[in-house]
Amino acid sequence: MFLEDLFIVTEDQNFYEHAGVDITGISRALLVNSQNNDLEQGGSITQQLARNVYLTHDRTYNRKLSELYYAYQLERKKSKSEIIELYMNAIYFHNGAYGIEAASQFYFSKPTAELSKAELSFLAAIPNNPELYNPLKHFDKTKKRQERILKQMVAEGKLKQNEYKKLVKETIKLDLSTTIDLYPDYVTYVHQELKNLVASSDGLTKSLQSSDEATRQQAEVELNKSVEKLLNSGVTIHTALDTKLQTQSKTAVQSKIGVNDIEGATVVIQHHTHELVSLIGGKDYKKNSFNRAYQSYRQPGSAIKPLLDYAPYIEETNADITQLVSGASYCSNSYCPKNYSGDSYGMVTLKSAFAQSYNTPAIRIFEKTGIEKSFKYLDSFNFKKVSIKDHHISSSIGGFEFGMSPLELTNAYTSFNDGSYQPARAIIKVTDQKGNVLYSWKDKPKKIWNRDTVSKMRQLLHEVTVNGTARKAYFPTDYIGGKTGTTNDVKDIWFVGLTANYTTGVWIGKDTPSNLQSIYSSTPHVLIWKDINQTSK
C-alpha cells in the first residue's frame, strides 16, 4: 500500500475517485498546454498506463482522444489495484529498467518486497524525469526528490511526521546488480550497429572513413558523445533477435566443435525482411571480446564460387545448368590450381561441377565472364576488405588477400532468395521513452540477379545438398540449398545456405589459421547448419 501511495500522491491524487480521467488534472493540463503549445502535460495514472502500453506518443489531439477512450475502457475492465500494479510495472526507471521490480533488482540487487520504505520512495523519485533523476549520475537530485515525495505523503495523511524524519535520514546505498547477458554475441554486435546507425543518420560516416587521421579521430569523438548521450536518455533499442535461434545456434556450435582451440561463428538472416535474427561470435563468446561473426576476415574457399563465378556467368550468358564445361587440368602463367581430389575431369555440366565443387570449371567460366565484369557483381555486396588487389584468377576459387567475414558472406547469399541485396540489420528502430522513433535504417534493396539467374542458382545450390558436398545438410523442407567452402590446407571450412525463410552461414577455423583435417571428415560446419535450420523450419 505504501508503494502505491507514493505514486498516487505524486501522479494522481484523485485516482480512487475518478473513472479513468482526472478532470482536475485535465483542466490543469489544458492551461499549461495553452501556454506552452504542449499536448503531453497532465493525465491520470490510467491515462498514462494507456499511453505507455496501448498507444503511440504522437503529439496530436486524435491520440489524446484515443488515450481517454482506452483509459475509460481500462477502468471498466480492471480494478484500481490492477491498474496501479500495471502502471508500476510499465514505467521507466532509467538504465534499462522498466517496472518497479526491474528497478529494485537493478539498483538494490533485491526484490521489491525486501526494500525499506526509504528505498521504495527513492525509486519512486526516478520516473518523473528518468534522465534528471538518474541515481547513477544525479544521486543528490534523486534524494532531494525522494524527500519532497515523503513530505507530500505527510501532507496527504499517508505518513506520520516522526516516520518522515526517520526515512529522510536513512542512508540510501545502491547495490547495482551484475546482470547476466544471455546473448553477448548478438548484444556486442548491436552496440556496433548502433554506432553505425547514429553515424549514418548524423552524417559522420564519410568523416569516419576519411584518409585523414585527424578527421577520423574527431568524427569518432563526436560519434561516441552522441551514442553516450543517446543511451543515457533512456532509449529502447528494438532488435530482430530470435532468442530460440540464438540459443540453438550456440548449442550447435558448442556440441559439434568440442573442447579444443577450434572456433566457430554462425549468422542467421531472415531474408524476406533482411533482419539479422541470430549471430554467434565464438563457441564460448564473452561480451565485447573479438567477435568472429563480423570482425574476422577469412578466405572463403569455394563458398565464393556462387557469387563470383556461377551467378555472373549465368547472368551474362543465360547459360543453362546442363551446359558443359571442361574439368580438365588448368595452368596459366605457372598458376596451376587443382581440383580438391587432385583428379582431372573431362567435360562436366555446370550442375555437376558446382555440386562437386570442382575448381577448374569454376576458373574457366570466371575467365569467360571476365575478371572485371565478375568483380563488378561482387562489388555490389560491399565486402569491406575486397579490393583491386583481389582482381586475379585465384580469387575465383577463394584466394583473396584478406577475405570476408561470416556476416558479409551470409548477407551476400541472401541475394539468391529473390535476386536483390540489402544489408541485414539487427536494429529495427530506436525509440525514446515516449515511443517516438529516433533512429531507423533507411536501406533499400538493390537488384543484383534477374529471375532466371536466381532460379538456376537455387537449383545448383539445392543439388549440393542432395548429390554434392553437403549431402549431410539435407532434410525434407520447402527449399534447401547451399555451398561448402574449404581453403588451402583446410584452414577454414564454410557452409552457407538457404531455406524458405532463412539464409545461414557457418564458419569454422582457428584464430591462428592452421590445418583442420582432423575434424574435416566429420563435416561439423554442415551439421551445425543443419542443427540450426532443422529446428527453425
Side-chain angles (χ1 to χ4, degrees), residues 257-444:
I257 294 179
V259 182
N260 46 48
D261 61 346
I262 299 173
E263 274 295 349
T266 68
V267 173
V268 185
I269 299 168
Q270 189 170 46
H271 41 233
H272 299 102
T273 60
H274 303 283
E275 291 176 346
L276 178 63
V277 294
S278 173
L279 181 145
I280 300 297
K283 63 182 180 184
D284 294 303
Y285 185 81
K286 300 295 186 293
K287 190 174 180 179
N288 296 322
S289 61
F290 181 66
N291 194 311
R292 298 162 188 85
Y294 74 95
Q295 291 178 314
S296 180
Y297 292 83
R298 306 292 288 241
Q299 302 296 325
S302 293
I304 201 63
K305 292 175 182 175
L307 299 164
L308 186 59
D309 306 336
Y310 284 86
Y313 179 70
I314 292 172
E315 183 80 11
E316 289 293 322
T317 66
N318 197 31
D320 192 88
I321 62 175
T322 60
Q323 184 182 102
L324 296 175
V325 59
S326 174
S329 299
Y330 174 96
C331 268
S332 176
N333 298 324
S334 74
Y335 176 61
C336 303
K338 297 183 180 299
N339 294 311
Y340 182 75
S341 65
D343 294 337
S344 176
Y345 304 97
M347 299 300 289
V348 294
T349 63
L350 293 180
K351 183 178 181 180
S352 178
F354 188 91
Q356 303 306 321
S357 201
Y358 297 152
N359 285 331
T360 58
I363 293 173
R364 287 187 168 96
I365 64 171
F366 172 72
E367 284 189 316
K368 287 181 180 178
T369 306
I371 292 177
E372 298 309 316
K373 194 169 288 185
S374 297
F375 268 95
K376 187 176 181 181
Y377 285 102
L378 199 71
D379 290 343
S380 302
F381 303 111
N382 302 317
F383 289 111
K384 185 177 180 180
K385 294 198 174 184
V386 172
S387 70
I388 192 68
K389 294 180 181 179
D390 294 307
H391 289 209
H392 46 67
I393 294 174
S394 62
S395 291
S396 65
I397 54 175
F400 286 76
E401 184 176 16
F402 295 106
M404 50 274 301
S405 71
L407 176 56
E408 286 183 330
L409 192 58
T410 307
N411 206 162
Y413 267 66
T414 63
S415 65
F416 297 129
N417 175 55
D418 63 2
S420 65
Y421 170 77
Q422 184 175 319
R425 304 298 188 186
I427 297 174
I428 298 171
K429 61 183 177 180
V430 180
T431 59
D432 63 17
Q433 296 173 37
K434 296 179 179 179
N436 302 307
V437 177
L438 301 178
Y439 293 94
S440 64
W441 290 104
K442 309 298 181 186
D443 302 315
K444 293 183 179 180

Side-chain angles (χ1 to χ4, degrees), residues 22 61 64 86 123 147 192 226 246 255 330-331 338 354 429 446 462 486 501:
D22 182 6
Y61 282 103
K64 266 294 187 188
L86 286 169
L123 289 182
E147 294 172 6
Q192 180 58 51
S226 295
Q246 183 74 1
S255 65
Y330 174 96
C331 268
K338 297 183 180 299
F354 188 91
K429 61 183 177 180
K446 176 169 56 176
H462 177 67
T486 308
N501 296 313

Side-chain angles (χ1 to χ4, degrees), residues 131-147:
E131 176 63 25
L132 180 63
Y133 300 120
N134 174 8
L136 304 190
K137 283 196 169 185
H138 309 295
F139 184 92
D140 291 343
K141 290 181 180 179
T142 314
K143 185 68 175 70
K144 287 180 181 179
R145 176 162 168 75
Q146 176 230 29
E147 294 172 6

Side-chain angles (χ1 to χ4, degrees), residues 27-45:
S27 299
R28 183 176 62 252
L30 287 173
L31 176 62
V32 175
N33 290 342
S34 64
Q35 294 172 343
N36 300 308
N37 193 29
D38 187 355
L39 297 176
E40 288 300 322
Q41 178 68 31
S44 68
I45 281 176

Side-chain angles (χ1 to χ4, degrees), residues 25 28 97 135 157 176-177 200 215 259 275 513 527:
R28 183 176 62 252
L176 300 181
S177 65
S200 175
T215 301
V259 182
E275 291 176 346
L527 297 180

Side-chain angles (χ1 to χ4, degrees), residues 198-214:
V198 173
S200 175
S201 300
D202 293 0
L204 291 171
T205 303
K206 188 174 181 180
S207 297
L208 289 166
Q209 297 172 347
S210 173
S211 57
D212 180 64
E213 184 177 353

Side-chain angles (χ1 to χ4, degrees), residues 91-131:
I91 50 180
Y92 186 57
F93 290 83
H94 212 289
N95 296 300
Y98 284 87
I100 187 66
E101 189 60 40
S104 178
Q105 292 287 356
F106 178 78
Y107 292 110
F108 295 110
S109 295
K110 55 187 176 183
T112 310
E114 296 180 13
L115 295 183
S116 69
K117 287 184 176 180
E119 290 169 334
L120 286 171
S121 57
F122 184 84
L123 289 182
I126 302 172
N128 179 262
N129 189 330
E131 176 63 25

